[in-house]
């Protein structure tokens, strides 16, 4: 059995298929894990989401910000962005089955036997891994409970910008979700900046906002994340691995072998 982790798919299903063929992926024996953002912006979000839904015994994902947005769109709480190219998905008769599947996906997966953690945007540096798991579970309980629809109406926003263990209710849940699905930059005080998504290695060294992984100190586990295409896989750390390599923007999709610690790449196909 082999475990593979794929970066943001974002509707680029043909590239995912090509990667799985490249490694001779066998759903009967192997497991595929996605860092989130299965859908949006690419041409085949419906095919990508259907693939995960129909192969849920061997194909898994954490929630990304685009996946959460899709859930809100399906519930009628947000308007679809034409740039997300979701029309065929939104018109499919199975869309509410897919919604039910999505709401049961976690914000974090931990492959304990491989000392590997998977989250869409990363792990908030001022949490321990144990705390992160507990906070992710708090959100899962809400997503799968009776407060689901109310939660989805209250979810979207940038406040609060900093974690405080005394946070309660939807402010608490919103920060947890934002940290797991939208985080890129933060400052030494733990405040998140959601407005910037550029390449951090092209910024001034004097800027107080740094990539979240600059503040991450736990190194016993590998953290695999996506969400930040501008990094193009570069974190300058061996224990924090960026897997969003901008396939939907014309670059390539990346697959990581957990056991062998090797990477596989598939160039973006033209004619999207």
């Amino acid at each position: 059995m082999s475990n593979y982790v794929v970066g943001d798919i974002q509707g680029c299903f043909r590239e995912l298929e090509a990667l799985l063929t490249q490694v001779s992926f066998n759903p009967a024996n192997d497991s595929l894990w996605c860092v989130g953002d299965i859908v949006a912006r690419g041409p085949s979000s419906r095919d990508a989401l259907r693939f995960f839904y129909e192969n849920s015994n061997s194909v898994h994902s954490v929630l990304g910000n685009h996946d959460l947005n899709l859930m809100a769109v399906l519930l009628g709480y947000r308007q679809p962005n034409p740039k997300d190219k979701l029309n065929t998905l939104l018109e499919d008769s199975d869309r509410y089955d897919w919604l039910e599947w999505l709401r049961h996906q976690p914000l974090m997966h931990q492959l304990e036997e491989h000392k590997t953690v998977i989250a869409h945007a990363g792990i908030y540096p001022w949490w321990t891994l144990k705390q992160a798991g507990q906070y992710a579970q708090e959100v899962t309980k809400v997503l799968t409970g009776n407060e689901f629809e109310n939660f989805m109406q209250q979810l979207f926003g940038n406040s609060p910008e900093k974690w405080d263990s005394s946070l309660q209710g939807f402010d608490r849940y919103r920060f947890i979700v934002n940290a797991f699905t939208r985080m890129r930059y933060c400052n030494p005080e733990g405040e998140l900046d959601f407005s910037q998504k550029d390449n951090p290695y092209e910024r001034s060294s004097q800027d107080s906002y740094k990539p979240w992984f600059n503040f991450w100190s736990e190194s016993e586990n590998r953290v695999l994340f996506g969400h930040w295409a501008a990094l193009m896989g570069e974190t300058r750390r061996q224990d924090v691995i960026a897997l969003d390599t901008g396939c939907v923007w014309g670059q390539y999709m990346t697959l990581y072998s957990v056991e062998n610690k090797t990477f596989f790449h598939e160039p973006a196909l033209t004619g999207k």
Side-chain angles (χ1 to χ4, degrees):
M1 175 179 174
S2 297
N3 287 279
Y4 299 99
V5 185
V6 67
D8 300 40
I9 298 166
Q10 292 198 248
C12 298
F13 185 59
R14 291 181 296 170
E15 289 87 342
L16 175 62
E17 286 186 305
L19 271 176
L20 296 181
T21 298
Q22 193 181 143
V23 298
S24 301
F25 179 80
N26 182 351
N29 299 313
D30 302 328
S31 291
L32 175 68
W33 309 81
C34 179
V35 298
D37 278 4
I38 299 171
V39 302
R41 302 300 173 100
S44 305
S45 289
R46 178 180 61 177
D47 294 338
L49 189 53
R50 178 189 289 128
F51 171 76
F52 275 77
Y53 177 78
E54 293 180 348
N55 295 279
S56 57
N57 288 332
S58 58
V59 177
H60 318 276
S61 187
V62 295
L63 288 171
N65 54 300
H66 281 293
D67 306 317
L68 287 161
N69 180 69
L70 171 62
M71 293 162 67
V73 170
L74 287 169
L75 290 167
Y77 300 140
R78 287 170 75 85
Q79 292 298 310
N81 183 341
K83 293 181 180 180
D84 286 343
K85 303 178 183 178
L86 296 174
N87 283 352
T88 57
L89 190 160
L90 298 176
E91 295 165 359
D92 197 285
S93 60
D94 291 329
R95 63 190 182 278
Y96 294 113
D97 291 332
W98 300 338
L99 170 63
E100 188 66 17
W101 178 82
L102 279 169
R103 66 184 283 211
H104 284 83
Q105 303 315 300
L107 291 170
M108 184 179 101
H109 275 300
Q110 189 165 5
L111 310 182
E112 293 184 4
E113 67 274 27
H114 299 293
K115 293 187 176 182
T116 296
V117 178
I118 303 166
H120 180 60
I123 306 294
Y124 185 64
W126 288 268
W127 295 338
T128 66
L129 203 54
K130 182 178 180 180
Q131 288 172 328
Q134 292 170 343
Y135 300 148
Q137 186 59 32
E138 285 185 34
V139 171
T140 295
K141 288 181 179 178
V142 180
L143 282 171
T144 57
N146 295 331
E147 285 289 300
F148 168 52
E149 293 202 26
N150 192 20
F151 170 79
M152 293 305 300
Q153 292 181 72
Q154 303 289 333
L155 172 61
F156 299 92
N158 294 339
S159 179
E161 298 176 348
K162 180 179 178 179
W163 174 251
D164 187 320
S165 60
S166 66
L167 286 170
Q168 296 182 349
F170 292 115
D171 280 348
R172 181 181 180 90
Y173 302 141
R174 190 182 307 110
F175 183 90
I176 293 169
V177 170
N178 282 341
F180 275 113
T181 68
R182 297 179 59 213
M183 175 178 65
R184 292 188 181 96
Y185 286 103
C186 52
N187 66 17
E189 286 71 47
E191 297 169 332
L192 301 180
D193 177 4
F194 300 113
S195 65
Q196 304 297 322
K197 55 183 179 180
D198 58 349
N199 186 328
Y201 306 112
E202 297 174 357
R203 291 168 68 108
S204 167
S205 61
Q206 304 302 314
D207 196 324
S208 64
Y209 281 87
K210 307 290 184 184
W212 66 268
F213 47 82
N214 281 28
F215 300 102
W216 178 249
S217 59
E218 269 194 53
S219 59
E220 291 184 5
N221 289 268
R222 285 173 291 178
V223 178
L224 309 184
F225 74 104
H227 184 59
W228 201 343
L231 289 174
M232 287 303 293
E234 185 177 6
T235 63
R236 302 182 181 179
R237 293 182 61 152
Q238 296 299 313
D239 59 328
V240 180
I241 299 172
L243 291 176
D244 182 2
T245 44
C247 184
V248 76
W249 307 116
Q251 299 300 318
Y252 54 91
M253 188 177 293
T254 296
L255 187 74
Y256 178 76
S257 169
V258 174
E259 285 83 5
N260 297 326
K261 302 180 183 179
T262 53
F263 296 88
F264 302 87
H265 305 293
E266 185 64 32
L269 298 170
T270 57
K272 292 181 187 229

Short mmCIF file of all heavy atoms in Angstrom, two decimals, residues 75 98 116 182 199 217:
data_model
loop_
_atom_site.label_atom_id
_atom_site.label_comp_id
_atom_site.label_asym_id
_atom_site.label_seq_id
_atom_site.Cartn_x
_atom_site.Cartn_y
_atom_site.Cartn_z
N LEU A 75 -25.84 25.83 -0.86
CA LEU A 75 -26.89 26.12 0.13
C LEU A 75 -27.63 27.42 -0.19
O LEU A 75 -28.63 27.73 0.46
CB LEU A 75 -26.27 26.22 1.53
CG LEU A 75 -25.78 24.91 2.14
CD1 LEU A 75 -24.92 25.18 3.37
CD2 LEU A 75 -26.96 24.00 2.51
N TRP A 98 -22.95 15.35 -3.01
CA TRP A 98 -21.57 15.82 -2.89
C TRP A 98 -21.44 16.82 -1.74
O TRP A 98 -20.44 16.82 -1.01
CB TRP A 98 -21.11 16.46 -4.20
CG TRP A 98 -21.15 15.51 -5.36
CD1 TRP A 98 -21.12 14.13 -5.30
CD2 TRP A 98 -21.23 15.84 -6.74
NE1 TRP A 98 -21.18 13.59 -6.56
CE2 TRP A 98 -21.25 14.61 -7.48
CE3 TRP A 98 -21.30 17.03 -7.45
CZ2 TRP A 98 -21.31 14.58 -8.87
CZ3 TRP A 98 -21.37 17.00 -8.84
CH2 TRP A 98 -21.37 15.78 -9.53
N THR A 116 2.98 12.50 9.54
CA THR A 116 2.63 13.43 8.47
C THR A 116 1.28 14.07 8.77
O THR A 116 0.34 13.38 9.16
CB THR A 116 2.57 12.70 7.12
OG1 THR A 116 3.89 12.21 6.80
CG2 THR A 116 2.11 13.62 6.00
N ARG A 182 -7.12 29.56 4.86
CA ARG A 182 -6.81 30.81 4.16
C ARG A 182 -5.47 31.43 4.56
O ARG A 182 -5.00 32.38 3.92
CB ARG A 182 -7.92 31.83 4.42
CG ARG A 182 -9.29 31.41 3.89
CD ARG A 182 -10.34 32.47 4.20
NE ARG A 182 -9.97 33.75 3.62
CZ ARG A 182 -10.27 34.93 4.18
NH1 ARG A 182 -10.88 34.99 5.34
NH2 ARG A 182 -9.90 36.06 3.58
N ASN A 199 4.82 35.99 -3.66
CA ASN A 199 5.99 35.17 -3.33
C ASN A 199 6.75 35.84 -2.19
O ASN A 199 7.25 36.94 -2.34
CB ASN A 199 6.89 35.04 -4.56
CG ASN A 199 8.04 34.08 -4.32
OD1 ASN A 199 8.56 33.95 -3.21
ND2 ASN A 199 8.46 33.39 -5.36
N SER A 217 7.46 25.76 14.74
CA SER A 217 8.64 25.21 15.40
C SER A 217 8.60 23.70 15.58
O SER A 217 9.64 23.09 15.85
CB SER A 217 8.84 25.88 16.77
OG SER A 217 7.71 25.68 17.58
#
